[in-house]
Amino acid sequence: MVGRGPTGARVLVLSLLIILTAETCRAQKGDGCGPSVLGPSSGTLSSLGYPRTYPNNTVCEWEISVPRGHRIHFRFAELDIENKDCQVNYLGLYNGIGPGRTVIGKYCGLGLKVKDLNESTGNQVTVQFMSGTHHTGHGFYLSYSTTEHTDLITCLDKGTDFPEAEFSKYCPAGCLTSTEEISGTIPNGYRESSPLCVAAIHAGVVSNAVGGTISVVSSKGIPHYEGTLANNVTSTGGTLSNSLFTFRTNGCYGTLGLESGGVADTQLLASSVWEWVDGEWAATGARLKRAGLPWGPAHSDQHQWLQVDLKKEKRITGITTTGSTLREYPYHVSAYRVLFSNNVQQWSIYREANSTQDKIFQGNINYLHEVRNNFIPPIEARFVRINPTLWHQRIALKLELVGCQILPAGRVKPRTFPTSRHTPPHAGTKRPPDLGQTTHTPDIRNTTMPPHNSQDVALATVLVPVLVIVLSALIVTVVCAWHWRNRKKSSEGTYDLPHWDRTDWWKSMKQLLPSKMMESEDSVRYSSSEVGRLTGRGAVPRLHAEPAEYAQPLVSGVTTLGARSTFKPDEGPDPGYSDPDLYDAPISPDVYHAYAEPLPASGSEYATPIVVDMGCHPSGGTSLTQPAAVCGFMGAGPASLLSRTDSGQSGRSAYDTPKNATGQATEDLTYQVPQSCTQKQTGQS
């Protein structure tokens, strides 16, 4: 929408075209003409009441001329005329002006889509809209330009209509006649659903009176779009969208020093000053975003002005204004003119291109929010004056000028990026303001995602995975080291037995497991630390004994038996008494516990597996004779074997005493070996 707010109707009237009378343009006539702008090389036409239904029995003709040697082409934004034969209601395009004109084409129909450009044969064209009796139809809305602008679009084309990441289009003059809304502002960008040409006017890229080429950059959307008023266009706020678009410019949009202090107080001058109980509303208070009283004249009339001296000629591309910004003084300027000069003697009033009337800029609609207006074409001058023409209650104004330096060749000073941060002066050092300094001119584009970021994306693509891998490896290393350290501490002082072997429930479960599994599980393992401690105490007596034939593993065909100890159980005072775990008992300094001594190299004399031959053949590697009792023992079956080995009433005579290295019997050792099968047979007989 155009000029929303208290002065919306007035601004709408000001923004409509005043028909140009130069050679490059003609006029419109009739009672059916809608809002139209006939620019020197482009324009916009619409039916009366668009986008509502056009009235009955009306007619309108537009006569358009462009410079000689050029031709004109048309692009339809919408064509919705009720009639199928184009006899009563239609839109006609004609080559030439006057009685000698020839027909280019007639168009009618509801919702008619015309995608092709309609081109004239010369530099003059007549557009005629005829309306008879009808019941529906929006009418028409079209744009035109010279044929050199092959990329002409309409005022209704949106960012979503062009999927390219970067593209260039030509906007016609007069797009403020559109009723479409935009969302967003510069430099953050506009929602992709906003009309491109209306957003370009809001951004100050093109003028509504002239139109022009726009360079569009599309990128990812942002969570929130700010709503602002600029160049007679009010943008609305909005929430997250998938994408947005911004515009490329020459970058001449830097602040010129009022807010930053680059413009000294002596460079600000006013026609008069209002003195009130709170203080003086002097010209020095007219600095945008500065706290305090604004500038206010002693009398509010159209002869008041505020002057800014830039010390030298600069290119000025825009102005931003606010009201008093004070709640207790809700004053603001709602319209103003801009004058400029280089010598303070001769002043010029700003006008738009190809216009003979002074430009009246829309001011603020309240005392607080900022309003921006751009100068197209820009002003090149040293002195600038603001002349209020409309205000609310009293004149109150704060402002900032935007622009850039002018190079000797007339080129705009390019945008520069400092390579390092500015180092502030030492405390107590006072530096005078740089009166000739111009702030860096920001480019109007999306700052959240620059268009040329292929190198940054490639660098991020490489660095992110590398950082993730390095951090993951570091975390895994720390966790493994911590786990290994805790495990080492928990196993210190033990015989490296599995955790379940050191628990009571596993000992009870052993009775139910096969003997072969238990044989592998019951073997005692010694930690390197324990063996080193034992060997360091002195020579360990070696035990020599021939290989025993008890506890040999059963051959196939015999039922697997549960494991039983090959040592004599300690006799305690109470049958139900169980000795404490001998693994945890401390080793006496005088007597080495036999459990903790390594086995001799000649082989184990006790705890040797038993090999039972089902055929009663002697076990390989032994010189003992296999007695018949063994065969009978095997024939008795597992129950008999279990009862014989499990009996606790065999007495002490059923065990032999292990021998030491000299062959002498050792009585004080706890290891005792059961008698061989031959000895048992002799004792029984």
Side-chain angles (χ1 to χ4, degrees), residues 38-120:
L38 306 181
S41 60
S42 65
T44 302
L45 311 178
S46 64
S47 58
L48 183 62
Y50 181 85
R52 298 182 300 273
T53 303
Y54 55 92
N56 294 326
N57 305 315
T58 58
V59 61
C60 183
E61 287 188 359
W62 295 265
E63 296 177 347
I64 304 171
S65 298
V66 296
R68 295 182 183 273
H70 295 272
R71 293 178 296 170
I72 306 171
H73 57 191
F74 298 85
R75 185 177 293 278
F76 289 94
E78 186 174 2
L79 190 59
D80 192 49
I81 301 174
E82 181 186 328
N83 206 314
K84 294 184 179 179
D85 54 9
C86 298
Q87 296 298 321
V88 179
N89 298 283
Y90 64 87
L91 177 69
L93 302 180
Y94 302 90
N95 285 310
I97 297 175
R101 64 191 184 188
T102 60
V103 177
I104 299 176
K106 286 186 176 182
Y107 304 91
C108 61
L110 296 175
L112 183 64
K113 301 295 183 181
V114 182
K115 296 183 179 179
D116 297 332
L117 288 171
N118 295 272
E119 187 173 323
S120 68

Side-chain angles (χ1 to χ4, degrees), residues 143-178:
S143 301
Y144 75 90
S145 72
T146 56
T147 53
E148 59 186 296
H149 302 298
T150 58
D151 53 354
L152 171 68
I153 60 176
T154 70
C155 301
L156 301 185
D157 288 328
K158 302 179 180 180
T160 53
D161 297 330
F162 305 96
E164 299 88 356
E166 296 188 24
F167 57 92
S168 177
K169 298 295 178 181
Y170 184 82
C171 287
C175 280
L176 285 189
T177 58
S178 170

Side-chain angles (χ1 to χ4, degrees), residues 5-44:
T7 60
R10 180 166 55 254
V11 173
L12 177 59
V13 173
L14 292 174
S15 65
L16 296 180
L17 174 71
I18 298 175
I19 302 301
L20 303 178
T21 58
E23 179 188 359
T24 57
C25 194
R26 290 288 181 174
Q28 65 183 15
K29 55 186 178 181
D31 57 355
C33 304
S36 303
V37 172
L38 306 181
S41 60
S42 65
T44 302

